[in-house]
């Protein structure tokens, strides 16, 4: 099964550098990519970074950018990694605009 994993940010995508003793963070490779590399699965994943933001910094323009990406992509199934602070707001936005694809948000 083909699934497109979209990185938007949130804790799952954060790395906590040891040089700052965990008091700062930076975004690294998609967390979903790290997780899937450790398990046995039958997915044919595609990994895309649409943004790397803390969810409290995601704007309506960012949500529109995410929607446009999903609607224009040649995939039918998406898993979006997203911070939990505004995950529901993004899910509501996407559900109003995307009806022909499966989109799962997780934080």
């Amino acid at each position: 099964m083909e699934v497109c994993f979209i990185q938007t940010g949130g804790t799952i995508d954060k790395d906590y550098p040891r040089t700052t003793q965990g008091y700062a963070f930076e975004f690294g490779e998609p967390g979903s990519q790290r997780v899937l590399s450790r398990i046995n699965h039958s997915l044919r994943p595609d990994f895309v970074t649409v943004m790397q933001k803390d969810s409290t910094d995601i704007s309506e323009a960012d949500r529109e950018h995410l929607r446009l990406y999903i609607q224009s992509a040649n995939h039918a199934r998406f898993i979006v990694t997203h911070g939990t602070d505004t995950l529901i707001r993004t899910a509501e936005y996407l559900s109003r605009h995307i009806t022909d694809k499966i989109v799962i948000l997780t934080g």
Side-chain angles (χ1 to χ4, degrees), residues 7-10 13 27-30 49-54:
Q7 177 187 40
T8 64
D13 292 319
F27 288 103
E29 70 178 24
T49 299
V50 171
M51 66 189 90
Q52 293 180 315
K53 292 186 170 190
D54 185 281

Side-chain angles (χ1 to χ4, degrees), residues 4 12 18 22-23 26 28-29 31-32 36 40 47 61 79 95 104 106:
C4 181
I12 192 171
R18 296 181 192 274
Y23 292 109
E26 57 193 31
E29 70 178 24
S32 54
L36 287 180
N40 185 14
F47 300 97
I79 296 178
S95 72
I104 298 170
T106 185

Side-chain angles (χ1 to χ4, degrees), residues 4-74:
C4 181
F5 289 83
I6 299 177
Q7 177 187 40
T8 64
T11 301
I12 192 171
D13 292 319
K14 290 179 183 176
D15 287 324
Y16 294 88
R18 296 181 192 274
T19 56
T20 59
Q21 299 176 349
Y23 292 109
F25 68 86
E26 57 193 31
F27 288 103
E29 70 178 24
S32 54
Q33 192 170 2
R34 290 190 304 261
V35 170
L36 287 180
S37 72
R38 296 179 183 157
I39 63 172
N40 185 14
H41 62 84
S42 61
L43 299 175
R44 290 187 309 276
D46 187 18
F47 300 97
V48 177
T49 299
V50 171
M51 66 189 90
Q52 293 180 315
K53 292 186 170 190
D54 185 281
S55 71
T56 59
D57 296 326
I58 292 178
S59 67
E60 291 303 307
D62 293 326
R63 288 181 183 88
E64 178 65 4
H65 177 66
L66 177 61
R67 179 192 70 80
L68 290 172
Y69 178 81
I70 291 170
Q71 287 188 316
S72 67
N74 291 327

